[in-house]
């Protein structure tokens, strides 16, 4: 069901997909054990699910738990499957579809290298200030900015830098967490 | 009580503590410490196979026929890669296996050492779970946890990869408490939601055209689940059909039995599925060989789905009442609630439905034209079935993959669960012979028959040697059509009868081959002699290769062809297969 439009080698997947795809942020609590990332990523590739971004790091050292934040684009039906398939993995504790649950905050961090001199350099600095980008490295002809925010804010900043001498971008991918006092 | 021992000894000790009596394996450098530990005990008996794929199918047959996990032991590198087909087969058919693979020493991992392969990487997607054991201190927990994971929830294969230095290392062995070892994240749900079960029974109480659609989950849930299914069927009076994997859970001799459903299922089963108003799926997964065209699948029914795996629900077909739980527990609840509401089956209300089913049955979708001159494969299976019914022994059937497999499912009838072993999900040619070996190891006094095709059986033929070594009197009943019959049939159906590589040319002389292995070979091509030849096979106290020369171009019918819904099934009297499927269907096979 994950790959409706590709022939599956079976006679029977004739139905055209009618549902629209959506972008959802999932938060996955897992045991931090060797191979866990490969298990999660392998599941996505084996079943033909699309990953937009994925971040992972140990978050509770004492209990050896990691949190994976993964952004996927899929139809509502496939989104349910992704959650259930992830939950089948033995070291996966819980999966939350933060987008479906609604109440969460998300942030991404990007490092952005821009080169330029003269008027371009001044304009770059003015825009960086507007976006609250921090300068974390500078030479006479370049800056590295650190900018944090929602992905679309980072997208806009990159778009603005592009004509001003954008050299390269590194992004962490999304980290997301539910609002309010309770944890997952 | 902790006890000091080597990792290799822990492996054997854990197997013994888990009640394992037999393991199927093949030695090699990296596995030698475990083999050495095995040599020094006699609790666990090792069956030496001829190819690691054979070991995995033996373990599957063993597991399927006993309800206990099957255990495999192989060496690193090629030993592990040879096991991959059987692991995948077990994953798709939800068979509990423990596969212990030896690995090069931890210090050499990643160096492309001799006989090194990334076993956990290779098997990650074909196991329910797998482990690479890096320290002997983790070994006791992992060994026992592996059994828990393989056998609970939706069963499946688990690989434990043990480097050679870990096998040599000395540590403390202990048997962990089940609760303490349970992976905190692994909690399969077994009790169905009561509200959902009540909603299901409410639907059943109002049904006018109901059908039970049962699957391998009923078998996996244990013999009690088959009992419960029989009871619920009797209470309700509803018709019952089953997938290939579920045969035997409901007795084929019961008048409520419709036969198998799906691509080669009976007319009555498939039409009942198509026209029903309430479908009660117990432990089946809406596989594409069952549903046919999804958008035309049982268009007017309310669907109830009982499955222990939450991800099976709504994966393929949207259902109205999903119930996540163990089949037997849910069936028991259904029985209790049904009883609390009525003490009558819905005989009258569903009488018109049964009348309709009777008309479909009268079509005789499994009929075939018999012959006096050549043995028809369906007839051969019917004769085999009749002969085995007279036996006092328990009868277990395994199969290979192809037409003979479908004919066996259609014409051999099962009244008990765990007596039918076949490769359903993966469709693995070469499954049946080693599976029969595994079944015979578990049931030394039973009659175990592999209904085979001449092409499939050659894939794992070497396990005849295993059967001879351990005096396992398996019977290999080869329906020899000198064709990869199923491939030939599809070429007729879809590819203008251009038989690209679907002949079995230069076949071995199976009689001589049997003798070469030290077994008995029998050949029969005359219908008049078949019964006597079958009797000879059954009477021989040792492994037999029985070469039944059958009609070469028989088609396996009925068949729901590509791109067609259930009610467009091809029945046996259809003359020309080639004209049935349109261009669109052809591309979708
Ligand atoms: C390992 C493997 N390779 C290929 C196939 C594809 N396949 C399905 S049935 C079949 C032919 C089987 O021929 P035979 O065993 O003689 O059985 P028959 O159909 O003639 O009864 C083939 C090649 C398969 N199922 N498994
Ligand atoms: Mg054949």
């Amino acid at each position: 069901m994950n790959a409706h439009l590709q022939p599956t080698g079976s006679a029977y997947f004739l139905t055209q997909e009618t549902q629209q795809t959506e972008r959802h942020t999932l938060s996955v609590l897992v045991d931090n054990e060797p191979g866990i990332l490969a298990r999660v990523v392998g599941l996505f590739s084996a079943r033909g699910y699309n990953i937009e971004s994925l971040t992972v790091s140990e978050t509770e050292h004492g209990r050896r738990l990691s949190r994976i934040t993964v952004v996927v684009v899929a139809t509502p039906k496939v989104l349910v499957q992704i959650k259930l398939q992830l939950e089948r993995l033995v070291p996966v504790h819980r999966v939350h579809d933060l987008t479906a649950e609604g109440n969460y905050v998300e942030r991404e961090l990007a490092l952005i290298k821009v080169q330029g001199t003269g008027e371009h350099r001044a304009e770059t600095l003015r825009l960086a200030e507007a976006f609250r980008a921090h300068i974390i490295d500078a030479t006479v002809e370049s800056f590295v900015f650190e900018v944090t925010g929602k992905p679309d804010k980072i997208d806009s900043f990159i778009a603005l830098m592009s004509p001003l001498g954008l050299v390269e971008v590194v992004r962490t991918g999304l980290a997301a967490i539910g609002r309010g006092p309770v944890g997952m | 009580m902790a006890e000091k021992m080597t990792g290799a000894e822990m492996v054997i000790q854990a197997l013994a503590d888990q009640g394992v009596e037999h393991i199927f394996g093949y030695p090699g450098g990296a596995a030698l410490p475990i083999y050495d530990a095995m040599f020094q005990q006699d609790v666990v008996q090792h069956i030496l196979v001829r190819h690691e794929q054979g070991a995995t199918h033996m373990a599957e047959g063993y597991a399927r026929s006993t309800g206990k996990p099957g255990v495999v032991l192989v060496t690193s590198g090629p030993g592990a890669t040879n096991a991959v087909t059987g692991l995948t087969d077990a994953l798709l058919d939800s068979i509990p296996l423990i596969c212990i693979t030896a690995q090069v020493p931890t210090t050499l991992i990643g160096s492309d050492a001799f006989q090194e392969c990334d076993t956990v990487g290779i098997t990650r997607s074909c196991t329910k779970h797998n482990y690479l054991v890096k320290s002997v201190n983790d070994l006791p927990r992992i060994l026992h946890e592996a059994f828990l994971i393989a056998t609970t929830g939706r069963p499946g294969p688990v690989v434990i990869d043990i480097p050679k230095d870990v096998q040599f290392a000395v540590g403390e062995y202990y048997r962990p408490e089940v609760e303490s070892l349970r992976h905190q994240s692994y909690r399969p749900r077994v009790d169905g939601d009561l509200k959902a079960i009540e909603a299901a029974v409410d639907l059943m109480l109002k049904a006018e055209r109901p059908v039970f659609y049962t699957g391998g989950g009923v078998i996996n849930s244990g013999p009690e689940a088959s009992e419960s299914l029989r009871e619920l069927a009797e209470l309700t009076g509803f018709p019952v059909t089953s997938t290939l994997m579920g045969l035997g859970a409901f007795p084929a001799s019961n008048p409520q039995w419709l036969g198998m459903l799906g691509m080669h299922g009976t007319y009555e089963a498939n039409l009942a599925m198509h026209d029903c108003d309430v479908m009660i799926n117990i432990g089946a997964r809406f596989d594409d060989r069952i549903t046919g065209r999804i958008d035309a699948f049982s268009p007017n029914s309310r669907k109830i789905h009982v499955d222990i795996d939450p991800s099976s629900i709504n994966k393929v077909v949207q259902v109205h009442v999903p119930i996540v739980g163990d089949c037997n527990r849910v069936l028991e609840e259904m029985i209790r609630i049904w009883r609390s509401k009525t003490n009558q089956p819905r005989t009258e209300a569903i009488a018109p439905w049964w009348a309709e089913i009777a008309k479909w049955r009268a079509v005789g979708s499994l009929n075939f034209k018999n012959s006096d001159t050549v043995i028809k494969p369906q007839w051969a299976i019917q004769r085999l079935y009749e002969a085995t019914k007279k036996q006092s022994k328990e009868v277990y059937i395994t199969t290979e993959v192809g037409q003979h497999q479908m004919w066996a499912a259609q014409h051999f009838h099962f009244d008990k669960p765990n007596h039918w072993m076949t490769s359903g999900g993966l469709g693995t040619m070469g499954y049946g012979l080693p599976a029969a070996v595994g079944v015979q190891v578990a049931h030394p006094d039973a009659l175990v028959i592999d209904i085979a095709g001449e092409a499939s059986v050659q894939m794992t033929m070497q396990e005849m040697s295993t059967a001879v070594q351990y005096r396992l009197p398996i019977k290999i009943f080869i329906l020899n059509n000198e064709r990869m019959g199923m491939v030939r049939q599809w070429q007729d159906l879809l590819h203008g009868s251009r038989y690209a590589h679907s002949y079995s040319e230069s076949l071995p002389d199976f009689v001589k081959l049997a003798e070469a292995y030290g077994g008995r070979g029998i050949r029969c091509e005359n219908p008049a002699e078949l019964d006597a030849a079958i009797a000879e096979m059954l009477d021989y106290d040792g492994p037999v290769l029985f070469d039944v020369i059958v009609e070469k171009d028989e088609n396996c019918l009925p068949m729901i062809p590509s791109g067609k819904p259930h009610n467009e099934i091809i029945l046996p009297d259809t003359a020309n297969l080639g004209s049935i499927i349109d261009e669109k269907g052809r591309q979708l096979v």
Side-chain angles (χ1 to χ4, degrees):
Chain A
M1 278 283 82
N2 39 55
H4 299 270
L5 301 176
Q6 293 148 257
T8 58
S10 149
Y12 293 136
F13 290 101
L14 290 163
T15 34
Q16 280 285 320
E17 187 46 76
T18 48
Q19 290 187 321
Q20 293 294 316
T21 59
E22 300 170 7
R23 172 182 288 109
H24 278 228
T25 303
L26 310 183
S27 188
V28 189
L29 187 66
V30 299
D31 284 327
N32 181 17
E33 60 182 35
I36 178 63
L37 188 57
R39 262 181 230 289
V40 170
V41 174
L43 171 77
F44 277 79
S45 70
R47 293 190 182 265
Y49 307 143
N50 294 316
I51 300 181
E52 191 116 307
S53 87
L54 184 146
T55 66
V56 56
S57 187
E58 189 169 78
T59 49
E60 289 179 57
H61 186 66
R63 291 167 62 205
R64 299 193 50 76
L65 291 175
S66 289
R67 195 77 74 95
I68 298 176
T69 308
V70 51
V71 181
V72 298
V73 177
T75 62
K77 207 169 156 187
V78 172
L79 281 165
V80 174
Q81 265 296 301
I82 293 177
K83 180 170 183 292
L84 293 172
Q85 293 292 350
L86 281 168
E87 283 171 344
R88 275 178 86 185
L89 299 177
V90 170
V92 169
H93 289 254
R94 275 190 290 290
V95 182
H96 281 249
D97 183 336
L98 295 173
T99 309
E101 290 164 18
N103 204 10
Y104 73 106
V105 286
E106 55 181 23
R107 288 294 180 270
E108 189 180 4
L109 184 144
L111 303 179
I112 296 161
K113 186 179 288 181
V114 184
Q115 64 110 38
T117 48
E119 187 42 41
H120 273 174
R121 191 167 162 92
E123 180 63 12
T124 300
L125 278 176
R126 272 195 295 276
L127 286 167
E129 203 171 341
F131 277 78
R132 292 200 213 136
H134 303 292
I135 299 166
I136 55 175
D137 177 67
T139 67
V140 287
E141 48 181 353
S142 74
F143 292 117
V144 173
F145 295 110
E146 171 199 316
V147 54
T148 310
K150 290 191 166 194
D152 51 356
K153 170 183 161 187
I154 296 173
D155 289 345
S156 323
F157 184 66
I158 293 168
L160 289 171
M161 289 301 115
S162 178
L164 296 174
L166 182 71
V167 178
E168 61 182 356
V169 180
V170 180
R171 300 173 73 149
T172 57
L174 200 70
I177 197 163
R179 290 181 188 270
V182 285
M184 84 179 257
Chain B
M1 254 290 289
E3 206 184 325
K4 273 217 177 319
M5 58 178 84
T6 66
E9 288 163 345
M10 287 181 188
V11 171
I12 304 299
Q13 187 60 49
L15 296 181
D17 286 350
Q18 287 287 340
V20 174
E21 293 167 61
H22 298 100
I23 72 172
F24 303 92
Y26 207 89
L32 287 183
I34 299 176
Y35 271 86
D36 200 33
M38 185 138 48
F39 190 78
Q40 302 175 42
Q41 56 87 47
D42 49 17
V43 180
V44 181
Q45 196 201 337
H46 178 268
I47 309 292
L48 177 67
V49 303
R50 298 299 181 270
H51 183 295
E52 290 85 352
Q53 183 187 349
T56 55
H57 296 323
M58 286 177 204
E60 286 186 276
Y62 189 93
R64 194 76 177 160
S65 67
T66 59
K68 297 195 288 186
V71 184
V72 173
L73 171 61
V74 299
T75 192
S76 65
T81 55
N82 274 349
V84 165
T85 301
L87 293 171
T88 313
D89 195 274
L91 183 71
L92 281 177
D93 284 345
S94 308
I95 312 287
L97 290 195
I98 304 291
C99 179
I100 296 165
T101 57
Q103 182 56 277
V104 302
T106 43
T107 47
L108 291 183
I109 288 178
S111 70
D112 298 324
F114 178 62
Q115 293 194 328
E116 179 185 359
C117 74
D118 176 12
T119 302
V120 286
I122 291 169
T123 61
R124 201 173 281 129
S125 63
C126 65
T127 52
K128 181 171 174 185
H129 194 53
N130 63 12
Y131 300 89
L132 170 60
V133 187
K134 294 241 178 87
S135 155
V136 73
N137 300 322
D138 296 333
L139 193 53
R141 176 186 60 81
I142 288 175
L143 285 163
H144 290 284
E145 190 174 278
F147 274 87
L148 180 83
I149 289 173
T151 55
T152 54
R154 180 176 181 173
V158 176
V159 161
I160 311 171
D161 198 28
I162 312 180
K164 194 168 182 177
D165 55 332
V166 175
Q167 300 172 33
F168 276 127
V170 175
E172 304 256 307
Y173 176 80
Y174 61 97
R175 188 173 177 179
E177 297 284 322
V178 172
E179 273 312 309
S180 76
L181 100 217
R182 200 168 277 233
H183 226 291
Q184 269 191 25
S185 52
Y186 179 74
R187 305 266 156 168
R189 245 186 291 167
V190 288
D191 287 314
D193 176 53
L194 198 59
K195 284 245 155 47
I197 302 178
E198 277 170 355
V201 175
D202 282 343
L203 275 182
M204 288 157 66
L205 282 163
K206 292 192 211 96
E208 287 174 3
R209 299 188 309 279
V211 65
F212 281 110
Y213 151 41
T214 65
V218 181
I219 312 262
N220 276 338
S221 179
E224 311 78 30
S226 297
E227 288 304 319
S228 302
L229 173 65
R230 289 157 199 229
E231 191 177 342
L232 186 61
E234 192 181 327
L235 278 179
T236 56
F238 296 174
V240 183
T241 179
S242 156
T243 64
L244 182 72
M245 294 310 293
L247 295 180
F250 191 75
S253 55
N254 187 300
Q256 281 165 257
W257 174 242
L258 301 181
M260 179 176 79
L261 81 162
M263 187 176 245
H264 293 290
T266 66
Y267 190 57
E268 53 271 33
N270 284 322
L271 263 73
M273 290 287 282
H274 187 266
D275 286 2
C276 64
D277 69 345
V278 174
M279 176 187 294
I280 310 129
N281 173 342
I282 317 273
R285 59 182 175 91
F286 295 107
D287 178 86
D288 55 72
R289 303 285 111 165
I290 296 300
T291 58
R293 241 176 101 156
I294 295 284
D295 57 0
F297 174 69
S298 193
N300 303 312
S301 59
R302 310 282 291 170
K303 298 177 184 74
I304 299 161
H305 187 185
V306 182
D307 203 304
I308 201 160
D309 178 356
S311 77
S312 284
I313 291 184
N314 294 338
K315 180 171 70 175
V316 180
V317 169
Q318 287 300 117
V319 298
H320 305 87
V321 185
I323 303 171
V324 176
D326 171 69
C327 287
N328 187 44
R329 297 220 195 170
V330 175
L331 283 165
E332 281 178 346
E333 276 305 289
M334 284 180 165
I335 291 168
R336 189 182 62 74
I337 297 168
W338 178 280
R339 280 228 172 89
S340 73
K341 306 220 166 167
T342 175
N343 49 15
Q344 293 292 320
R346 286 181 61 72
T347 318
E348 241 158 76
I350 63 172
W353 176 232
W354 273 114
E356 220 170 318
I357 291 172
K359 280 188 222 148
W360 296 328
R361 267 188 180 150
V363 166
S365 62
L366 298 182
N367 290 353
F368 56 94
K369 252 196 218 84
N370 210 355
S371 156
D372 297 336
T373 47
V374 291
I375 299 176
K376 288 291 184 125
Q378 304 94 318
W379 186 70
I381 291 172
Q382 290 180 347
R383 296 319 300 160
L384 179 70
Y385 174 60
E386 291 303 324
T388 57
K389 269 205 298 192
K390 295 187 205 112
Q391 294 272 320
S392 54
K393 297 174 177 175
E394 288 284 303
V395 180
Y396 293 86
I397 299 294
T398 71
T399 75
E400 308 292 337
V401 170
Q403 291 182 314
H404 62 274
Q405 175 190 31
M406 293 298 123
W407 282 318
Q410 293 172 341
H411 297 280
F412 207 102
H413 305 293
F414 299 91
D415 279 355
K416 291 186 211 163
N418 304 97
H419 285 61
W420 161 252
M421 275 46 63
T422 195
S423 169
L426 194 63
T428 310
M429 291 171 71
Y431 167 88
L433 195 159
V437 170
V439 174
Q440 191 84 74
V441 167
H443 309 276
D445 300 323
L447 173 60
V448 185
I449 305 173
D450 171 27
I451 298 180
E454 82 295 334
S456 297
V457 78
Q458 290 186 77
M459 290 212 170
T460 49
M461 174 57 82
Q462 65 277 17
E463 303 306 337
M464 264 302 274
S465 176
T466 309
V468 170
Q469 177 178 344
Y470 293 94
R471 299 178 185 279
L472 302 167
I474 56 168
K475 316 296 180 211
I476 311 302
F477 192 73
I478 305 173
L479 296 175
N480 185 348
N481 51 12
E482 297 176 19
R483 306 272 185 284
M484 298 173 196
M486 192 56 97
V487 174
R488 194 273 307 148
Q489 176 168 342
W490 283 52
Q491 286 169 335
D492 274 331
L493 205 54
L494 304 160
H495 298 282
S497 299
R498 289 178 296 278
Y499 302 132
H501 300 275
S502 56
Y503 290 93
S504 290
E505 273 179 279
S506 76
L507 281 171
D509 178 332
F510 285 110
V511 173
K512 283 192 188 148
L513 189 58
E515 285 162 4
Y517 276 116
R520 166 75 69 91
I522 303 174
R523 178 170 299 118
C524 181
E525 39 192 328
N526 180 351
E529 292 165 8
L530 182 63
D531 283 347
I534 288 175
E536 183 189 345
M537 169 181 91
L538 298 182
D539 286 346
Y540 183 69
D541 183 24
V544 178
L545 278 185
F546 185 178
D547 189 16
V548 193
I549 311 296
V550 297
E551 161 69 48
K552 298 190 195 323
D553 295 312
E554 192 73 9
N555 286 316
C556 184
L557 298 171
M559 177 176 189
I560 303 173
S562 327
K564 302 274 182 176
H566 278 174
N567 55 354
E568 293 184 39
I569 187 167
I570 311 174
L571 289 168
D573 52 9
T574 311
N576 183 1
L577 278 184
S579 61
I580 288 168
I581 297 188
D582 58 14
E583 203 42 54
K584 195 164 159 233
R586 236 178 276 265
Q587 288 165 14
L588 287 160
V589 175

